[in-house]
């Protein structure tokens, strides 16, 4: 009887344990200093890209068009009254366009081919910073490699990683253009930014896809590092 | 390396052999594989260790990270040749060039940089 009770207790623990694990599995996981979207920030814009039958290569130009649109939009809030403010406005525009384009290129490249989920980019204007949020879905297999990359980006020395990656690419690019792994490094090394990610667990179990949101905050008081 | 000319919706990339000048202009944010031809030409040019090369980016408004990586590879390949002199011409109206071109210079300190 005692043995039976122990067995039952052990079973209950396992069931409870599993319950907790399942709940945790659906909790979003955050990496880095993720700041929540703040609809009270004042100005914000969201652009969504629906899954499409048009090949990615044909849609590639939309990344640049959208990035330039976001950058032009932001300039309205940075009046050019003299040489200094004109240059500051140009710097913010340049940074927003570059960062938005890189984030969209990444999201498009790594979105699951079979995904039914859209890619979206939103931009929130705060008094001292612009925050970008880009959400896409990706495969579970891609996620593992991405998490490794994230660990490196959050814990490594960005300057060393930046120049090492360029030296590695120079060897790889003797055969074909690669440009691999340099997008986030350019954003973090050249601009005054912070990056964070949020993973929402399996959003489509049948397709084994996961939704990922990357957040970049850009310091608009000094967008480009000196 | 022969003269090259690549034109897209918003960009042009040219190489003038007579003046040994590579020019990028417009907004150059190609799909990574679309840089293949230009990348091959730049790699070939660096391998020939030309005495002097001019990289004119005066009219290059934007370049994506794949393009930055490709041009940086070219700079690194020239550095490894040790016999080539490189002049890069930039434009202060395009703020990204301030850091990108200085990063080139860090990899190739002998590079001459003119930001106009």
């Amino acid at each position: 009887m005692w043995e039976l009770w122990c067995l039952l207790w052990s079973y209950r623990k396992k069931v409870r344990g599993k319950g907790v694990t399942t709940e945790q599995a659906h909790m979003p996981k955050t990496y880095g200093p993720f700041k929540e979207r703040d609809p009270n920030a004042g100005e914000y814009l969201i652009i969504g890209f629906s899954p499409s039958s048009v090949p990615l290569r044909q849609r590639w130009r939309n990344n640049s068009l959208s990035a330039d649109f976001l950058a032009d939009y932001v300039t309205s809030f940075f009046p050019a009254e003299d040489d200094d403010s004109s240059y500051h406005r140009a710097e913010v525009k340049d940074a927003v366009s570059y960062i938005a384009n890189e984030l969209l290129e990444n999201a498009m490249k790594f979105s699951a081919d079979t995904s039914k989920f859209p890619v979206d980019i939103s931009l929130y204007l705060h008094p001292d910073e612009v925050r970008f949020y880009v959400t896409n879905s990706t495969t579970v297999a891609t996620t593992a490699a991405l998490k490794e990359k994230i660990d490196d980006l959050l814990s490594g020395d960005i300057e060393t990683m930046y120049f090492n990656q360029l030296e590695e690419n120079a060897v790889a690019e003797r055969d074909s253009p690669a440009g691999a792994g340099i997008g986030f490094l350019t954003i973090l090394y050249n601009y005054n930014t912070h990056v964070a990610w949020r993973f929402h667990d399996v959003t489509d179990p049948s397709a084994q896809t996961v939704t990922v949101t990357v957040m970049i905050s850009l310091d608009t008081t000094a967008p480009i590092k000196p | 390396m022969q003269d090259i000319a690549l034109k897209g919706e918003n960009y042009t990339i040219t190489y003038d052999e007579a003046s040994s000048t590579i020019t990028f202009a417009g907004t150059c944010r190609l799909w990574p594989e679309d840089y293949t031809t230009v990348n091959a030409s730049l790699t070939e040019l660096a391998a020939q260790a030309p005495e002097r090369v001019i990289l004119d980016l005066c009219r290059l408004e934007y370049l994506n990270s794949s393009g930055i990586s490709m041009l940086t590879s070219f700079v690194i390949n020239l550095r490894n040749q040790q016999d080539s002199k490189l002049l890069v011409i930039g434009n202060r109206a395009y703020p990204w060039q301030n850091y990108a071109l200085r990063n080139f210079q860090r990899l190739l300190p002998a590079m001459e940089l003119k930001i106009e």
Side-chain angles (χ1 to χ4, degrees):
Chain A
M1 186 62 192
W2 173 242
E3 279 175 10
L4 184 64
W5 170 247
C6 280
L7 203 65
L8 195 64
W9 178 245
S10 150
Y11 176 68
R12 280 164 59 97
K13 269 173 74 178
K14 273 186 189 166
V15 170
R16 280 182 181 165
K18 274 188 183 168
V20 170
T21 309
T22 311
E23 279 165 23
Q24 282 174 343
H26 289 288
M27 289 285 286
K29 287 179 189 139
T30 300
Y31 301 82
F34 197 96
K35 297 174 184 171
E36 301 299 332
R37 287 177 174 86
D38 180 5
N40 299 319
E43 299 290 336
Y44 64 94
L45 265 182
I46 303 171
I47 302 176
F49 303 88
S50 296
S52 168
S53 56
V54 178
L56 177 56
R57 208 163 171 140
Q58 283 178 38
R59 288 183 283 131
W60 194 250
R61 64 192 286 280
N62 288 345
N63 300 332
S64 186
L65 289 173
S66 307
D68 286 348
F69 172 70
L70 291 170
D72 275 341
Y73 168 82
V74 165
T75 56
S76 306
F77 305 95
F78 292 85
E81 288 156 351
D82 51 32
D83 285 355
D84 283 351
S85 57
S86 294
Y87 191 72
H88 182 62
R89 179 156 109 158
E91 273 192 327
V92 171
K93 182 184 176 191
D94 178 277
V96 169
S97 180
Y98 182 83
I99 294 168
N101 181 67
E102 288 301 316
L103 294 178
L104 284 171
E105 285 193 7
N106 254 306
M108 299 293 174
K109 274 193 275 190
F110 295 107
S111 280
D113 288 341
T114 55
S115 173
K116 299 189 283 285
F117 298 95
V119 169
D120 65 61
I121 182 166
S122 53
L123 181 144
Y124 288 74
L125 262 161
H126 293 261
D128 293 336
E129 65 180 17
V130 169
R131 290 186 207 155
F132 305 80
Y133 298 84
V134 176
T135 301
N136 64 283
S137 60
T138 188
T139 61
V140 171
T142 309
T143 307
L146 177 59
K147 283 183 179 168
E148 241 177 70
K149 188 85 193 162
I150 288 171
D151 283 343
D152 289 346
L153 287 171
L154 292 176
S155 61
D157 176 60
I158 296 295
E159 184 174 8
T160 307
M161 289 166 73
Y162 179 82
F163 285 101
N164 285 350
Q165 186 68 58
L166 287 169
E167 294 279 355
E168 278 177 32
N169 288 1
V171 175
E173 287 178 354
R174 278 175 201 156
D175 301 321
S176 62
I182 203 71
F184 277 118
L185 285 171
T186 54
I187 293 172
L188 294 173
Y189 180 59
N190 296 313
Y191 297 98
N192 275 320
T193 52
H194 292 285
V195 63
W197 285 265
R198 176 165 288 170
F199 287 75
H200 294 270
D201 239 322
V202 182
T203 36
D204 181 359
S206 62
Q208 283 289 292
T209 56
V210 174
T211 301
V212 187
T213 300
V214 60
M215 185 222 69
I216 298 273
S217 60
L218 168 74
D219 178 354
T220 48
T221 60
I224 292 180
K225 284 187 179 169
Chain B
M1 179 177 164
Q2 295 179 334
D3 287 1
I4 56 164
L6 192 64
K7 278 189 185 176
E9 192 178 9
N10 298 312
Y11 70 90
T12 55
I13 301 171
T14 58
Y15 174 65
D16 176 49
E17 196 173 10
S19 60
S20 203
T21 302
I22 304 157
T23 306
F24 279 65
T27 293
C28 197
R29 288 169 165 167
L30 310 193
W31 170 261
E33 285 164 16
D34 288 346
Y35 283 112
T36 301
T37 317
V38 181
N39 180 62
S41 300
L42 292 175
T43 307
E44 187 193 328
L45 178 64
Q48 290 167 0
E51 196 177 324
R52 182 178 170 81
V53 182
I54 299 169
L55 183 58
D56 183 352
L57 307 179
C58 256
R59 289 178 294 124
L60 184 59
E61 192 172 356
Y62 288 115
L63 183 67
N64 63 359
S65 65
S66 303
I68 289 176
S69 178
M70 179 184 69
L71 284 185
T72 311
S73 295
F74 176 65
V75 171
I76 290 171
N77 290 337
L78 283 180
R79 177 197 67 193
N80 294 343
Q81 288 291 352
Q82 297 187 332
D83 296 324
S84 303
K85 282 188 179 163
L86 174 65
L87 164 65
V88 178
I89 305 170
N91 187 338
R92 69 180 68 255
Y94 305 135
W96 68 271
Q97 293 194 3
N98 286 322
Y99 66 76
L101 307 191
R102 286 182 212 291
N103 290 343
F104 289 175
Q105 205 167 31
R106 184 163 153 173
L107 290 159
L108 177 59
M111 175 188 121
E112 193 185 342
L113 175 60
K114 276 189 191 167
I115 297 185
E116 298 174 339

